[in-house]
Amino acid sequence: MTPTALIADDEPLLREILEARLAAVWPELQIVAQARNGRQALELFEQHRPTICFLDVHMPGLSGVDVARQIGKQAHLVFVTAFDQYALEAFQHGVLDYVVKPVTAARLSETVERLKARLQQAQPAVHTEALLAQLAERLKLDSKPETLRWVRASVGASLRMIPVDDIDYLKSDSKYTLVAYRDEGQLAEALIRMPLKDLLAQLDPQQFAQVHRSVVVNLRSIRRVTRGDNETADIELKGRSERLPVSRSYLQLFKEM
């Protein structure tokens, strides 16, 4: 019997990436449905009854763990998560499988081999309600707003997922925001349509700070701050020649100067 699968993730691009990676490592697997949230995942599960469910842990409304508890033992489950702690705990119990975002072909291949083995041996889906309940409780404890982990940007004819850790600074550019980042160590830039103020609201304030009306900098990228005239300053970045202005309004960030 042809194995079937459902993919549930609130990020369309990540659903597409996972589907493409699965097609490459398991061409016989038929993706019968894709869901954008937990409730839709349950509806589509009832419609299609897939063999396997790939569930994003964090989804609007019902989380992937909530969905898993309602599916029970009716399907094999694979959690898709950006948070190792959830996945590792489940995996270490030897019950639930997982892949970490962004999904790599190598890690997905390992998961696929385990799933194939279970299906070939006609092993039933094995879940423990106690473990799922424990994971659900942890999700509630960690339900504080998540910070942005990557930025989607058009680079030429392709769409890139830029990890925020690779961003050196962001600069407002009329209707767009310039993203200055490092692509495998090489300096790179991209334009995105999201306004700078909207991006700033989603970034970790411990890592990114606004230093000028039009500039947000990754604090880890700063090499040196030099005081200028009239209560201003300039930021020198690691490995970059451009300097970023610090206006008087934001100089208190470097008040120890």
Coordinates of all heavy atoms in Angstrom, one line a residue, residues 53-145:
C53 N 1.9 11.8 9.8 CA 1.6 13.3 9.9 C 2.9 14.0 10.3 O 3.5 13.6 11.3 CB 0.6 13.5 11.0 SG -1.1 12.9 10.5
F54 N 3.3 14.9 9.5 CA 4.4 15.8 9.9 C 3.8 17.1 10.5 O 3.2 17.9 9.8 CB 5.3 16.2 8.6 CG 6.0 15.0 8.0 CD1 5.4 14.2 7.1 CD2 7.3 14.7 8.4 CE1 6.1 13.1 6.6 CE2 8.0 13.6 7.9 CZ 7.4 12.8 7.0
L55 N 4.0 17.3 11.8 CA 3.4 18.3 12.5 C 4.3 19.4 13.0 O 5.2 19.0 13.8 CB 2.6 17.7 13.7 CG 1.5 16.7 13.3 CD1 1.0 16.1 14.6 CD2 0.4 17.3 12.5
D56 N 4.2 20.6 12.6 CA 4.9 21.7 13.2 C 4.5 21.8 14.7 O 3.3 21.8 15.0 CB 4.6 23.0 12.4 CG 5.4 24.2 13.0 OD1 6.4 24.0 13.6 OD2 4.9 25.3 12.8
V57 N 5.5 21.9 15.5 CA 5.2 22.0 17.0 C 4.4 23.3 17.3 O 3.4 23.3 18.0 CB 6.5 22.0 17.8 CG1 6.2 22.3 19.3 CG2 7.1 20.6 17.7
H58 N 4.9 24.4 16.7 CA 4.2 25.7 17.0 C 3.4 26.1 15.8 O 3.9 26.4 14.8 CB 5.3 26.8 17.3 CG 5.9 26.7 18.6 ND1 5.4 27.2 19.7 CD2 7.1 26.1 19.0 CE1 6.2 27.0 20.8 NE2 7.2 26.3 20.3
M59 N 2.0 26.1 16.0 CA 1.1 26.5 15.0 C 0.0 27.4 15.7 O -0.2 27.2 16.9 CB 0.5 25.3 14.3 CG 1.4 24.6 13.4 SD 0.5 23.3 12.4 CE 0.1 22.1 13.6
P60 N -0.6 28.3 14.9 CA -1.7 29.1 15.5 C -2.8 28.2 16.0 O -3.1 27.2 15.4 CB -2.1 29.9 14.4 CG -1.0 30.0 13.4 CD -0.3 28.6 13.5
G61 N -3.5 28.6 17.1 CA -4.6 27.7 17.6 C -4.0 26.5 18.3 O -3.3 26.6 19.3
L62 N -4.3 25.4 17.7 CA -3.8 24.1 18.3 C -2.4 23.9 17.9 O -2.0 24.1 16.7 CB -4.7 22.9 17.7 CG -6.1 22.9 18.1 CD1 -6.8 21.7 17.4 CD2 -6.3 22.7 19.7
S63 N -1.5 23.5 18.8 CA -0.1 23.2 18.5 C 0.0 21.9 17.9 O -1.0 21.1 17.9 CB 0.7 23.3 19.8 OG 0.4 22.2 20.6
G64 N 1.2 21.6 17.4 CA 1.4 20.2 16.8 C 1.2 19.1 17.8 O 0.7 18.0 17.5
V65 N 1.6 19.4 19.1 CA 1.4 18.5 20.2 C -0.1 18.2 20.5 O -0.5 17.1 20.7 CB 2.1 18.9 21.4 CG1 1.9 17.9 22.6 CG2 3.6 19.1 21.2
D66 N -0.9 19.3 20.4 CA -2.3 19.2 20.6 C -2.9 18.3 19.5 O -3.8 17.5 19.8 CB -3.0 20.6 20.6 CG -2.6 21.5 21.8 OD1 -2.3 20.9 22.8 OD2 -2.6 22.7 21.6
V67 N -2.5 18.6 18.3 CA -3.0 17.8 17.2 C -2.6 16.3 17.4 O -3.4 15.4 17.2 CB -2.5 18.3 15.8 CG1 -2.9 17.4 14.7 CG2 -3.0 19.7 15.6
A68 N -1.4 16.1 17.8 CA -0.9 14.7 18.0 C -1.7 14.0 19.0 O -2.0 12.8 18.9 CB 0.6 14.7 18.4
R69 N -2.1 14.7 20.1 CA -2.9 14.0 21.1 C -4.2 13.6 20.6 O -4.8 12.6 21.0 CB -3.0 15.0 22.3 CG -1.7 15.3 23.0 CD -1.8 16.3 24.1 NE -2.4 15.6 25.3 CZ -2.7 16.3 26.4 NH1 -2.4 17.5 26.5 NH2 -3.2 15.6 27.5
Q70 N -4.8 14.4 19.7 CA -6.1 14.0 19.2 C -6.1 12.9 18.1 O -7.0 12.2 18.0 CB -6.8 15.3 18.6 CG -7.1 16.3 19.7 CD -8.1 17.4 19.3 OE1 -9.1 17.1 18.7 NE2 -7.8 18.6 19.7
I71 N -5.0 12.9 17.4 CA -4.8 11.9 16.4 C -4.5 10.5 17.1 O -5.0 9.5 16.6 CB -3.6 12.2 15.4 CG1 -4.0 13.4 14.5 CG2 -3.2 11.0 14.6 CD1 -2.9 13.9 13.6
G72 N -3.8 10.6 18.2 CA -3.6 9.4 18.9 C -2.7 8.4 18.1 O -1.7 8.8 17.5
K73 N -3.1 7.1 18.1 CA -2.3 6.1 17.5 C -2.8 5.8 16.1 O -2.5 4.8 15.5 CB -2.3 4.8 18.3 CG -1.7 5.0 19.7 CD -1.8 3.7 20.5 CE -1.2 3.9 21.9 NZ -1.2 2.7 22.7
Q74 N -3.5 6.8 15.5 CA -4.1 6.5 14.2 C -3.1 6.8 13.0 O -3.4 6.6 11.9 CB -5.3 7.4 14.0 CG -6.4 7.1 15.0 CD -7.6 8.1 14.8 OE1 -8.5 7.8 14.0 NE2 -7.6 9.2 15.5
A75 N -1.9 7.4 13.4 CA -0.9 7.7 12.4 C 0.4 7.7 13.0 O 0.6 8.0 14.2 CB -1.2 9.0 11.7
H76 N 1.5 7.5 12.2 CA 2.8 7.8 12.7 C 3.1 9.3 12.7 O 2.7 10.0 11.8 CB 3.8 7.1 11.8 CG 3.7 5.6 11.8 ND1 4.3 4.8 12.7 CD2 3.0 4.7 11.0 CE1 4.0 3.5 12.5 NE2 3.2 3.4 11.4
L77 N 3.7 9.8 13.8 CA 3.9 11.2 13.9 C 5.4 11.6 13.8 O 6.3 10.9 14.3 CB 3.4 11.6 15.3 CG 2.0 11.4 15.6 CD1 1.6 11.9 17.0 CD2 1.1 12.0 14.6
V78 N 5.6 12.7 13.1 CA 6.9 13.3 13.1 C 6.7 14.8 13.4 O 6.0 15.5 12.7 CB 7.6 13.2 11.7 CG1 9.0 13.9 11.7 CG2 7.7 11.7 11.3
F79 N 7.4 15.2 14.5 CA 7.3 16.6 14.9 C 8.3 17.4 14.0 O 9.5 17.0 13.9 CB 7.6 16.9 16.3 CG 6.4 16.5 17.2 CD1 6.7 15.8 18.4 CD2 5.2 16.9 16.9 CE1 5.6 15.5 19.2 CE2 4.1 16.6 17.7 CZ 4.3 15.9 18.9
V80 N 7.9 18.6 13.5 CA 8.8 19.5 12.8 C 9.0 20.7 13.7 O 8.0 21.4 14.0 CB 8.2 19.9 11.4 CG1 9.2 20.7 10.7 CG2 7.9 18.6 10.6
T81 N 10.2 21.0 14.1 CA 10.3 22.0 15.2 C 11.6 22.8 15.0 O 12.6 22.3 14.4 CB 10.3 21.4 16.6 OG1 10.6 22.4 17.5 CG2 11.4 20.3 16.7
A82 N 11.5 24.0 15.4 CA 12.8 24.9 15.4 C 13.4 24.8 16.8 O 14.4 25.5 17.0 CB 12.4 26.3 15.0
F83 N 12.8 24.1 17.7 CA 13.2 24.1 19.1 C 13.6 22.7 19.5 O 12.8 21.8 19.7 CB 12.1 24.6 20.0 CG 11.6 25.9 19.6 CD1 10.6 26.1 18.7 CD2 12.2 27.1 20.1 CE1 10.2 27.4 18.4 CE2 11.8 28.3 19.8 CZ 10.8 28.5 18.9
D84 N 14.9 22.5 19.6 CA 15.5 21.2 19.9 C 14.9 20.6 21.2 O 14.8 19.4 21.3 CB 17.0 21.3 20.0 CG 17.6 21.4 18.7 OD1 17.2 20.7 17.7 OD2 18.6 22.1 18.5
Q85 N 14.7 21.4 22.2 CA 14.4 20.8 23.5 C 13.1 20.0 23.5 O 13.0 19.0 24.1 CB 14.2 21.9 24.6 CG 13.0 22.9 24.4 CD 13.4 24.1 23.6 OE1 14.3 24.0 22.8 NE2 12.7 25.2 23.9
Y86 N 12.1 20.4 22.7 CA 10.9 19.6 22.6 C 11.2 18.3 21.9 O 10.8 17.2 22.3 CB 9.8 20.4 21.8 CG 9.5 21.7 22.4 CD1 9.6 22.8 21.6 CD2 9.0 21.8 23.6 CE1 9.3 24.1 22.1 CE2 8.7 23.0 24.2 CZ 8.8 24.1 23.4 OH 8.5 25.4 23.9
A87 N 11.9 18.4 20.7 CA 12.1 17.3 19.9 C 13.0 16.3 20.6 O 12.8 15.1 20.6 CB 12.7 17.7 18.5
L88 N 14.1 16.8 21.2 CA 15.0 15.9 21.8 C 14.4 15.1 22.9 O 14.6 13.9 23.1 CB 16.2 16.6 22.3 CG 17.2 17.1 21.2 CD1 18.3 18.0 21.8 CD2 17.8 16.0 20.4
E89 N 13.6 15.7 23.7 CA 12.9 15.0 24.8 C 12.1 13.9 24.3 O 12.1 12.8 24.8 CB 12.1 16.0 25.6 CG 11.4 15.3 26.8 CD 10.8 16.3 27.8 OE1 11.2 17.5 27.7 OE2 10.0 15.9 28.6
A90 N 11.3 14.2 23.2 CA 10.4 13.2 22.7 C 11.3 12.1 22.1 O 11.0 10.9 22.3 CB 9.5 13.8 21.6
F91 N 12.3 12.4 21.3 CA 13.1 11.4 20.7 C 13.8 10.6 21.6 O 14.0 9.4 21.4 CB 14.1 12.1 19.7 CG 14.9 11.2 18.9 CD1 14.2 10.4 17.9 CD2 16.2 11.1 19.1 CE1 15.0 9.6 17.1 CE2 17.0 10.2 18.3 CZ 16.3 9.4 17.3
Q92 N 14.3 11.2 22.7 CA 15.1 10.4 23.7 C 14.3 9.3 24.4 O 14.8 8.4 24.9 CB 15.7 11.4 24.7 CG 16.9 12.1 24.1 CD 17.3 13.3 25.0 OE1 16.7 13.6 26.0 NE2 18.4 14.0 24.6
H93 N 13.0 9.5 24.4 CA 12.1 8.5 24.9 C 11.9 7.4 23.9 O 11.2 6.4 24.2 CB 10.7 9.1 25.3 CG 10.8 9.9 26.6 ND1 11.4 11.1 26.7 CD2 10.3 9.6 27.8 CE1 11.2 11.5 28.0 NE2 10.6 10.6 28.6
G94 N 12.4 7.6 22.7 CA 12.3 6.5 21.7 C 10.9 6.3 21.1 O 10.6 5.2 20.6
V95 N 10.1 7.3 21.3 CA 8.7 7.1 20.9 C 8.3 7.9 19.7 O 7.7 7.4 18.7 CB 7.7 7.4 22.1 CG1 6.3 7.2 21.6 CG2 8.1 6.5 23.3
L96 N 8.7 9.2 19.7 CA 8.3 10.1 18.7 C 9.5 10.5 17.8 O 10.6 10.7 18.4 CB 7.6 11.3 19.3 CG 6.4 11.0 20.2 CD1 6.0 12.3 20.9 CD2 5.3 10.5 19.4
D97 N 9.2 10.7 16.6 CA 10.3 11.2 15.7 C 10.2 12.7 15.5 O 9.2 13.3 15.7 CB 10.3 10.4 14.4 CG 11.7 10.2 13.8 OD1 12.6 11.0 14.1 OD2 11.9 9.1 13.2
Y98 N 11.3 13.3 14.9 CA 11.3 14.7 14.7 C 12.3 15.1 13.7 O 13.2 14.3 13.4 CB 11.6 15.4 16.0 CG 13.1 15.4 16.4 CD1 13.9 16.5 16.1 CD2 13.7 14.3 16.9 CE1 15.3 16.5 16.4 CE2 15.0 14.2 17.2 CZ 15.8 15.3 16.9 OH 17.1 15.3 17.2
V99 N 12.1 16.2 13.1 CA 13.1 16.9 12.3 C 13.1 18.4 12.7 O 12.1 18.9 13.1 CB 12.8 16.8 10.8 CG1 13.1 15.4 10.3 CG2 11.4 17.3 10.4
V100 N 14.3 19.0 12.6 CA 14.5 20.3 13.1 C 14.5 21.3 11.9 O 15.2 21.0 10.9 CB 15.8 20.5 13.9 CG1 16.0 21.9 14.3 CG2 15.7 19.6 15.2
K101 N 13.8 22.4 12.0 CA 13.9 23.4 11.0 C 15.2 24.1 11.0 O 15.7 24.4 12.1 CB 12.7 24.4 11.2 CG 11.3 23.9 11.1 CD 10.4 25.0 11.3 CE 9.0 24.6 11.3 NZ 8.0 25.7 11.6
P102 N 15.7 24.6 9.8 CA 15.2 24.2 8.5 C 15.6 22.7 8.2 O 16.7 22.3 8.6 CB 16.0 25.1 7.6 CG 17.2 25.5 8.4 CD 16.8 25.5 9.8
V103 N 14.7 22.0 7.6 CA 14.8 20.6 7.5 C 15.9 20.3 6.5 O 15.9 20.8 5.3 CB 13.5 19.9 7.0 CG1 13.7 18.5 6.7 CG2 12.4 20.2 8.0
T104 N 16.9 19.5 6.9 CA 18.0 19.1 6.0 C 17.7 17.7 5.4 O 17.0 16.9 6.0 CB 19.3 19.1 6.7 OG1 19.3 18.0 7.7 CG2 19.6 20.4 7.4
A105 N 18.3 17.5 4.2 CA 18.0 16.2 3.5 C 18.6 15.1 4.3 O 18.0 14.0 4.4 CB 18.7 16.3 2.1
A106 N 19.8 15.3 5.0 CA 20.4 14.2 5.7 C 19.6 13.8 6.9 O 19.4 12.6 7.2 CB 21.8 14.7 6.2
R107 N 19.1 14.8 7.7 CA 18.3 14.5 8.9 C 17.0 13.9 8.5 O 16.5 12.9 9.1 CB 18.1 15.7 9.7 CG 17.2 15.5 11.0 CD 18.0 14.6 11.9 NE 17.2 14.3 13.1 CZ 16.3 13.3 13.2 NH1 16.1 12.5 12.1 NH2 15.6 13.1 14.2
L108 N 16.4 14.4 7.4 CA 15.1 13.8 6.9 C 15.3 12.4 6.5 O 14.4 11.6 6.7 CB 14.5 14.7 5.8 CG 13.1 14.3 5.4 CD1 12.1 14.5 6.5 CD2 12.7 15.3 4.2
S109 N 16.4 12.1 5.8 CA 16.6 10.7 5.4 C 16.6 9.7 6.5 O 16.1 8.6 6.4 CB 18.0 10.7 4.6 OG 17.9 11.4 3.4
E110 N 17.2 10.1 7.7 CA 17.3 9.3 8.8 C 15.8 9.0 9.3 O 15.5 7.8 9.7 CB 18.1 9.9 10.0 CG 19.5 10.1 9.6 CD 20.3 10.9 10.7 OE1 19.6 11.1 11.8 OE2 21.4 11.3 10.5
T111 N 15.1 10.0 9.4 CA 13.7 9.9 9.8 C 12.9 9.0 8.9 O 12.1 8.1 9.3 CB 13.0 11.2 9.9 OG1 13.6 12.0 10.9 CG2 11.5 11.1 10.3
V112 N 13.1 9.2 7.6 CA 12.4 8.4 6.5 C 12.8 6.9 6.7 O 11.9 6.0 6.6 CB 12.7 8.9 5.1 CG1 12.3 7.9 4.1 CG2 12.0 10.2 4.9
E113 N 14.0 6.6 6.9 CA 14.4 5.2 7.1 C 13.7 4.6 8.3 O 13.3 3.4 8.2 CB 16.0 5.1 7.2 CG 16.7 5.5 5.9 CD 16.2 4.6 4.7 OE1 16.1 3.4 4.9 OE2 15.9 5.2 3.7
R114 N 13.6 5.3 9.4 CA 12.9 4.7 10.5 C 11.4 4.5 10.2 O 10.9 3.5 10.6 CB 13.1 5.7 11.7 CG 14.4 5.6 12.4 CD 14.4 6.3 13.8 NE 14.4 7.7 13.6 CZ 15.5 8.5 13.5 NH1 16.7 7.9 13.5 NH2 15.4 9.8 13.3
L115 N 10.8 5.5 9.5 CA 9.4 5.3 9.2 C 9.2 4.1 8.3 O 8.3 3.3 8.4 CB 8.9 6.6 8.5 CG 8.7 7.8 9.4 CD1 8.5 9.1 8.6 CD2 7.6 7.6 10.4
K116 N 10.1 4.0 7.3 CA 10.0 2.8 6.4 C 10.1 1.5 7.1 O 9.3 0.5 6.8 CB 11.1 2.9 5.3 CG 10.8 4.0 4.2 CD 12.0 3.9 3.2 CE 11.7 4.9 2.0 NZ 12.9 4.8 1.1
A117 N 11.0 1.5 8.1 CA 11.2 0.2 8.8 C 10.0 -0.1 9.6 O 9.5 -1.3 9.7 CB 12.4 0.4 9.8
R118 N 9.4 0.9 10.2 CA 8.1 0.7 11.0 C 7.0 0.2 10.1 O 6.3 -0.8 10.4 CB 7.7 1.9 11.7 CG 8.6 2.4 12.8 CD 8.1 3.7 13.4 NE 9.1 4.4 14.1 CZ 9.1 5.7 14.4 NH1 8.0 6.4 14.1 NH2 10.0 6.3 15.1
L119 N 6.9 0.8 8.9 CA 5.8 0.4 8.0 C 6.1 -1.0 7.5 O 5.1 -1.8 7.4 CB 5.7 1.4 6.8 CG 5.3 2.8 7.2 CD1 5.3 3.7 6.0 CD2 3.9 2.8 7.9
Q120 N 7.3 -1.3 7.1 CA 7.6 -2.7 6.6 C 7.4 -3.7 7.6 O 7.0 -4.9 7.3 CB 9.1 -2.7 6.1 CG 9.3 -1.9 4.8 CD 10.8 -1.8 4.5 OE1 11.7 -2.2 5.2 NE2 11.1 -1.1 3.4
Q121 N 7.6 -3.4 8.9 CA 7.4 -4.4 9.9 C 6.0 -4.3 10.5 O 5.7 -5.0 11.5 CB 8.4 -4.2 11.1 CG 9.9 -4.3 10.6 CD 10.9 -3.8 11.6 OE1 10.5 -3.6 12.8 NE2 12.1 -3.6 11.2
A122 N 5.2 -3.5 9.9 CA 3.8 -3.3 10.3 C 3.7 -3.0 11.7 O 2.8 -3.4 12.4 CB 3.0 -4.6 10.0
Q123 N 4.6 -2.2 12.2 CA 4.6 -1.7 13.6 C 3.5 -0.7 13.8 O 3.3 0.2 12.9 CB 5.9 -1.1 14.0 CG 7.0 -2.1 14.1 CD 8.3 -1.5 14.5 OE1 8.4 -0.3 14.7 NE2 9.4 -2.3 14.6
P124 N 2.7 -0.8 14.8 CA 1.7 0.2 15.0 C 2.3 1.6 15.4 O 3.4 1.6 15.9 CB 0.8 -0.3 16.2 CG 1.8 -1.2 16.9 CD 2.7 -1.8 15.9
A125 N 1.6 2.6 15.2 CA 2.1 3.9 15.7 C 2.1 3.9 17.2 O 1.2 3.5 17.8 CB 1.1 5.0 15.2
V126 N 3.2 4.3 17.7 CA 3.4 4.2 19.2 C 3.5 5.6 19.8 O 4.4 6.4 19.5 CB 4.7 3.4 19.5 CG1 4.8 3.3 21.0 CG2 4.6 2.0 18.9
H127 N 2.6 6.0 20.6 CA 2.6 7.3 21.3 C 2.3 7.0 22.7 O 1.7 6.0 23.1 CB 1.5 8.2 20.7 CG 1.4 8.3 19.3 ND1 0.3 8.5 18.6 CD2 2.4 8.2 18.3 CE1 0.6 8.6 17.3 NE2 1.8 8.4 17.1
T128 N 2.8 7.9 23.5 CA 2.5 7.9 24.9 C 1.8 9.1 25.3 O 2.3 10.2 25.1 CB 3.7 7.7 25.8 OG1 4.5 8.9 25.8 CG2 4.5 6.5 25.4
E129 N 0.6 9.0 25.8 CA -0.2 10.2 26.2 C 0.5 11.0 27.3 O 0.5 12.2 27.3 CB -1.6 9.7 26.8 CG -2.4 10.9 27.3 CD -2.7 12.0 26.3 OE1 -2.7 11.7 25.1 OE2 -2.8 13.1 26.7
A130 N 1.3 10.3 28.2 CA 2.0 11.0 29.2 C 3.0 11.9 28.7 O 3.2 13.1 29.1 CB 2.6 10.0 30.2
L131 N 3.8 11.4 27.7 CA 4.8 12.3 27.1 C 4.2 13.4 26.3 O 4.7 14.6 26.4 CB 5.6 11.4 26.1 CG 6.7 12.2 25.4 CD1 7.7 12.9 26.3 CD2 7.5 11.2 24.4
L132 N 3.1 13.2 25.5 CA 2.5 14.3 24.8 C 1.9 15.3 25.8 O 2.0 16.5 25.5 CB 1.4 13.7 23.9 CG 1.9 12.9 22.7 CD1 0.7 12.3 22.0 CD2 2.7 13.8 21.8
A133 N 1.4 14.9 26.9 CA 0.9 15.8 27.9 C 2.0 16.6 28.5 O 1.8 17.8 28.7 CB 0.1 15.0 29.0
Q134 N 3.1 16.0 28.7 CA 4.3 16.7 29.2 C 4.8 17.8 28.2 O 5.1 18.9 28.6 CB 5.4 15.7 29.5 CG 6.6 16.3 30.2 CD 7.7 15.2 30.4 OE1 7.7 14.2 29.8 NE2 8.6 15.6 31.3
L135 N 4.8 17.4 27.0 CA 5.2 18.4 25.9 C 4.2 19.5 25.8 O 4.6 20.7 25.7 CB 5.4 17.6 24.6 CG 6.5 16.7 24.5 CD1 6.5 15.9 23.2 CD2 7.9 17.4 24.6
A136 N 2.9 19.2 25.9 CA 1.9 20.2 25.8 C 2.0 21.2 27.0 O 1.9 22.4 26.8 CB 0.5 19.6 25.8
E137 N 2.4 20.7 28.2 CA 2.5 21.6 29.3 C 3.7 22.5 29.2 O 3.7 23.7 29.5 CB 2.7 20.7 30.6 CG 2.6 21.5 31.9 CD 1.3 22.1 32.1 OE1 0.2 21.6 31.6 OE2 1.2 23.2 32.7
R138 N 4.8 21.9 28.6 CA 6.0 22.8 28.4 C 5.7 23.9 27.4 O 6.1 25.0 27.5 CB 7.1 21.9 27.9 CG 8.4 22.8 27.6 CD 9.6 21.9 27.3 NE 10.0 21.3 28.5 CZ 11.2 20.6 28.5 NH1 11.9 20.4 27.4 NH2 11.6 20.0 29.6
L139 N 4.9 23.6 26.3 CA 4.5 24.6 25.4 C 3.8 25.7 26.0 O 4.0 26.9 25.7 CB 3.6 24.0 24.3 CG 4.3 23.2 23.2 CD1 3.3 22.6 22.2 CD2 5.3 24.1 22.4
K140 N 2.9 25.4 27.0 CA 2.2 26.5 27.7 C 3.1 27.3 28.5 O 3.0 28.6 28.5 CB 1.2 25.9 28.6 CG 0.0 25.2 27.9 CD -1.0 24.6 29.0 CE -2.1 23.8 28.3 NZ -3.0 23.2 29.3
L141 N 4.1 26.7 29.1 CA 5.1 27.5 29.9 C 5.9 28.4 29.1 O 6.3 29.5 29.5 CB 6.0 26.5 30.7 CG 5.3 25.7 31.8 CD1 6.3 24.7 32.4 CD2 4.7 26.6 32.9
D142 N 6.2 27.9 27.8 CA 7.1 28.7 26.9 C 6.2 29.5 25.9 O 6.7 29.7 24.8 CB 8.1 27.8 26.2 CG 9.1 27.2 27.2 OD1 9.1 27.6 28.3 OD2 9.8 26.3 26.8
S143 N 5.0 29.9 26.3 CA 4.2 30.5 25.3 C 4.4 32.0 25.1 O 3.5 32.7 24.6 CB 2.7 30.2 25.7 OG 2.4 30.8 26.9
K144 N 5.5 32.5 25.6 CA 5.8 33.9 25.4 C 6.0 34.1 23.9 O 6.3 33.2 23.2 CB 7.1 34.3 26.2 CG 8.3 33.5 25.7 CD 9.5 33.9 26.6 CE 10.7 33.1 26.2 NZ 11.9 33.4 27.0
P145 N 5.8 35.4 23.5 CA 5.9 35.7 22.0 C 7.3 35.3 21.5 O 8.3 35.5 22.1 CB 5.8 37.2 22.0 CG 5.0 37.5 23.2 CD 5.4 36.6 24.3

